[in-house]
Amino acid sequence: MGRGRNKEGIDTEQLDGYMAELEEARRDLENREENLRRTINLIGYAVIYGDGEGRITGMNHIAQSLVEALPDECEGKALDEVLTFYSQPAGLKIPGPFSRVLETGQVLIADETVLLTNGKGREYHIEYSAAPNKYNENDEIEGMVLVVRDITEQYRRHEQIGQIQKMDVVGQLAGGIAHDFNNMLGGILGAAELLQKRIGDDEKSREYCEIIINATGRAAELTQELVSFATQQRSSSSHLDIHRTVEDAVKILKGTIDPRVEIKLDFKADRSVVEGNPSQLQNVIVNLGTNAYHAMPAGGTFTISTSLVELNGNESEENTFSLNPGTYIALDFTDTGCGIPPHLLSKIFEPFFTTKDKIKGTGLGLAAAYGIIKHHGGAIDVKSHVGKGTTFRILLPLESRGTAESGIPSSDLIHGKGHILVVDDEFIMRMTAKNILEELGYEVTLVENGRDAVNLFSAYGDNFDLVLLDMIMPIMDGKDCFDRLIDIKPEVKVILSTGLTGGGVIDEMKQKGLKGFISKPYLSYELSQVVHKVITGK
């Protein structure tokens, strides 16, 4: 078009130039907006836009995943309708970021909070910031932006590392008291058993003995729950079918919980043999079932399901528990109960923490479960939604070779013959072992420390068929005594008797020829069986 003027008298060539500049500016703006959208979608943070009334006007892809909804499902809704924010660690509901920005007119950089999506009930730990990004001519806010960083995994790792550190501290305390406490319990338990056999038909006296035995057994269980996470190695183990262990535990649960709680089994794992202690694992399952029952006082459903999980070593949860790569069986314990509030989730594995009445729980069950699963080379985790229920997940390494062995041992009392040297610094435990063994038919000699045992064995070692040896003693402890005994007679048969279960030192002793192990306090049948097995080799 040549230079001229239109009917309004505007220079047409100049107008064409303005239009071209305007079109170029429009394309540049579109490119900038497109680049901004791409950048926002790529930054890895959730970005949500709002108007001057706190209603959502848009969001990026990460935010869609966070709220688990499409933008058109959220646009026009108040932010507080879509997301609910809670303070940490109090767990109290607080106003959403848009409401607070509108109230203050300031940029908001919040401390860590818990974010709960209304639609799906999923919980996240987050860091976020919010700010006005558009004003009208009266300097009033017309637009806002919220940027959310999901730190759930980092938070979980931090909590689990803190949990491990707390377990280590309490474990050291538990290990320190367990030996002396179990010695005292051993004396009480052994004396009550022996007395019960001598009182004949006096029903009242037999009833009193039974009360003593049961109370001592319960005290021993509580001590063992502490020791379960005090020690660094699990106790005696075998190849077992965890499905069978679950079924045995469910039989116990059905006899003790409200019949309104329906128990369902869903075994999807086609392999289920693990290496572990059947009694300990059964106790974990019963404990989780009992907790589920208490969370459903009016009834509900408790489901135990299994599946196989392949770990490559990069999973955050498993790295925290130091799991090795490989195949694991996952056991999910899901109830439809009241759920656990977010601010309590980080505390439930702490010893003595409980949400139950003191009459219903000691607060040791989940702490013990944590220790037992950890010492089985596995991991335990929990997810919960208030009002919807809780799921505990346990991972145990799958045993690739071997078949399941029989689980819970029998309680048969086995008599025998032979000469046994009992080495223990506690008088009550020496006399308890002596009386039980003599009742079983054995000849018994007592010494109170490792040095005396070595001197006696050096002179008369051939007279003894077996040594029952305590671990923690003054003058010379069990390990040093054991080393000297095998120097004197390499084929010596030694059973270690201690209030601790497992550990690196005990594993070392087994490699050198330790023949047996029994935990204090023990019942007569337990001692009879391990002594018979070691002496006869059967």
Side-chain angles (χ1 to χ4, degrees):
M1 179 183 294
R3 193 175 190 88
R5 295 180 181 275
N6 61 15
K7 62 182 180 180
E8 285 84 14
I10 299 175
D11 187 319
T12 55
E13 185 175 346
Q14 187 178 28
L15 180 60
D16 289 344
Y18 289 154
M19 294 297 293
E21 291 177 6
L22 183 60
E23 179 64 19
E24 184 178 354
R26 185 187 65 78
R27 286 196 299 268
D28 183 62
L29 181 59
E30 287 180 349
N31 289 336
R32 288 173 181 269
E33 289 177 345
E34 180 62 24
N35 288 336
L36 181 60
R37 278 193 294 270
R38 289 178 180 175
T39 300
I40 289 173
N41 278 325
L42 291 173
I43 60 174
Y45 296 160
V47 180
I48 301 175
Y49 301 100
D51 62 17
E53 296 182 3
R55 294 188 297 261
I56 295 173
T57 59
M59 61 180 66
N60 69 351
H61 292 156
I62 302 296
Q64 292 177 42
S65 300
L66 192 72
V67 301
E68 299 184 66
L70 297 174
D72 57 4
E73 297 177 278
C74 300
E75 288 179 8
K77 293 183 179 179
L79 179 67
D80 291 355
E81 291 181 54
V82 177
L83 304 173
T84 304
F85 294 80
Y86 294 90
S87 63
Q88 272 293 104
L92 301 176
K93 184 178 178 181
I94 58 175
F98 284 171
S99 299
R100 297 170 68 183
V101 168
L102 287 173
E103 180 182 352
T104 64
Q106 304 294 319
V107 173
L108 175 64
I109 300 178
D111 293 332
E112 181 183 307
T113 66
V114 172
L115 173 97
L116 174 67
T117 66
N118 283 345
K120 305 293 182 180
R122 196 180 301 275
E123 297 164 356
Y124 299 87
H125 293 273
I126 64 167
E127 293 175 342
Y128 71 82
S129 60
N133 69 341
K134 186 178 180 182
Y135 296 88
N136 62 18
E137 63 275 9
N138 297 322
D139 205 29
E140 296 170 336
I141 297 173
E142 281 194 341
M144 294 175 287
V145 61
L146 168 65
V147 179
V148 175
R149 177 176 176 236
D150 180 4
I151 60 168
T152 305
E153 290 305 318
Q154 298 94 310
Y155 182 89
R156 173 179 288 178
R157 285 196 295 269
H158 175 77
E159 289 294 304
Q160 290 175 333
I161 291 171
Q163 184 71 21
I164 290 171
Q165 292 171 340
K166 285 184 283 189
M167 291 298 104
D168 288 343
V169 171
V170 177
Q172 292 173 16
L173 174 63
I177 67 172
H179 176 262
D180 291 339
F181 193 58
N182 280 328
N183 276 335
M184 291 183 284
L185 291 176
I188 297 170
L189 187 59
E193 274 197 303
L194 293 169
L195 180 61
Q196 192 177 45
K197 294 177 182 179
R198 295 178 180 275
I199 57 179
D201 297 328
D202 186 342
E203 287 298 324
K204 203 65 178 176
S205 296
R206 294 182 66 84
E207 180 182 341
Y208 291 152
C209 283
E210 195 64 33
I211 291 172
I212 295 171
I213 291 171
N214 290 337
T216 306
R218 178 56 183 153
E221 288 175 5
L222 291 175
T223 306
Q224 186 58 48
E225 286 178 346
L226 283 171
V227 173
S228 292
F229 56 82
T231 56
Q232 295 301 308
Q233 299 289 332
R234 60 182 181 269
S235 58
S236 61
S237 62
S238 60
H239 290 174
L240 60 93
D241 185 343
I242 195 66
H243 284 167
R244 188 182 305 165
T245 304
V246 170
E247 290 169 345
D248 291 341
V250 167
K251 291 177 184 177
I252 296 173
L253 285 169
K254 285 184 176 179
T256 57
I257 66 175
D258 193 320
R260 291 178 298 174
V261 175
E262 180 184 8
I263 302 178
K264 293 183 178 180
L265 300 180
D266 183 17
F267 295 158
K268 294 187 176 72
D270 56 9
R271 290 176 292 158
S272 54
V273 176
V274 302
E275 183 180 354
N277 181 286
S279 297
Q280 287 187 353
L281 292 175
Q282 186 180 93
N283 286 341
V284 170
I285 296 165
V286 170
N287 182 271
L288 293 176
T290 303
N291 286 348
Y293 156 57
H294 288 149
M296 300 180 287
T301 302
F302 178 53
T303 303
I304 306 175
S305 60
T306 65
S307 59
L308 295 183
V309 176
E310 197 71 31
L311 301 184
N312 58 22
N314 295 324
E315 293 80 3
S316 59
E317 172 190 83
E318 287 71 33
N319 281 345
T320 302
F321 279 85
S322 301
L323 295 193
N324 296 319
T327 305
Y328 288 73
I329 185 167
L331 296 94
D332 292 317
F333 303 83
T334 303
D335 66 61
T336 56
C338 57
I340 304 169
H343 64 287
L344 297 182
L345 277 177
S346 63
K347 299 179 181 292
I348 62 170
F349 292 115
E350 294 180 6
F352 308 112
F353 176 81
T354 179
T355 58
K356 306 173 190 174
D357 296 335
K358 294 300 181 185
I359 194 173
K360 292 184 178 180
T362 63
L364 286 175
L366 287 176
Y370 180 99
I372 289 169
I373 297 304
K374 177 183 175 184
H375 300 145
H376 278 74
I380 182 170
D381 190 25
V382 60
K383 293 183 180 179
S384 186
H385 304 297
V386 175
K388 295 185 177 181
T390 299
T391 295
F392 284 88
R393 164 163 279 206
I394 289 175
L395 295 179
L396 291 172
L398 199 66
E399 180 58 44
S400 58
R401 298 186 301 274
T403 56
E405 303 168 17
S406 59
I408 307 301
S410 71
S411 56
D412 294 337
L413 198 66
I414 304 176
H415 293 73
K417 291 183 178 180
H419 192 176
I420 299 176
L421 176 62
V422 175
V423 188
D424 201 303
D425 65 312
E426 291 286 343
F427 173 79
I428 190 171
M429 283 307 302
R430 290 198 303 274
M431 296 309 299
T432 297
K434 177 179 184 294
N435 290 326
I436 292 175
L437 291 170
E438 287 180 345
E439 288 275 342
L440 294 170
Y442 297 100
E443 181 183 354
V444 179
T445 297
L446 304 177
V447 293
E448 61 183 47
N449 61 66
R451 185 183 64 188
D452 290 349
V454 169
N455 292 337
L456 185 63
F457 195 83
S458 180
Y460 305 104
D462 290 338
N463 292 342
F464 297 108
D465 298 287
L466 183 142
V467 179
L468 182 64
L469 179 64
D470 187 21
M471 173 59 93
I472 302 176
M473 298 180 290
I475 305 177
M476 180 184 288
D477 66 13
K479 180 183 180 303
D480 291 340
C481 177
F482 173 74
D483 289 340
R484 296 288 299 277
L485 292 177
I486 59 176
D487 285 341
I488 297 168
K489 186 178 181 180
E491 67 273 21
V492 61
K493 295 177 179 180
V494 178
I495 295 173
L496 189 66
S497 172
T498 178
L500 300 179
T501 56
V505 173
I506 297 175
D507 288 342
E508 180 185 339
M509 293 170 69
K510 288 179 179 179
Q511 292 174 1
K512 291 181 178 179
L514 182 69
K515 302 301 183 183
F517 176 90
I518 187 169
S519 295
K520 297 177 182 178
Y522 46 73
L523 292 164
S524 298
Y525 81 86
E526 293 173 323
L527 183 61
S528 77
Q529 289 178 5
V530 69
V531 168
H532 178 267
K533 180 178 180 180
V534 172
I535 286 182
T536 64
K538 298 177 182 179

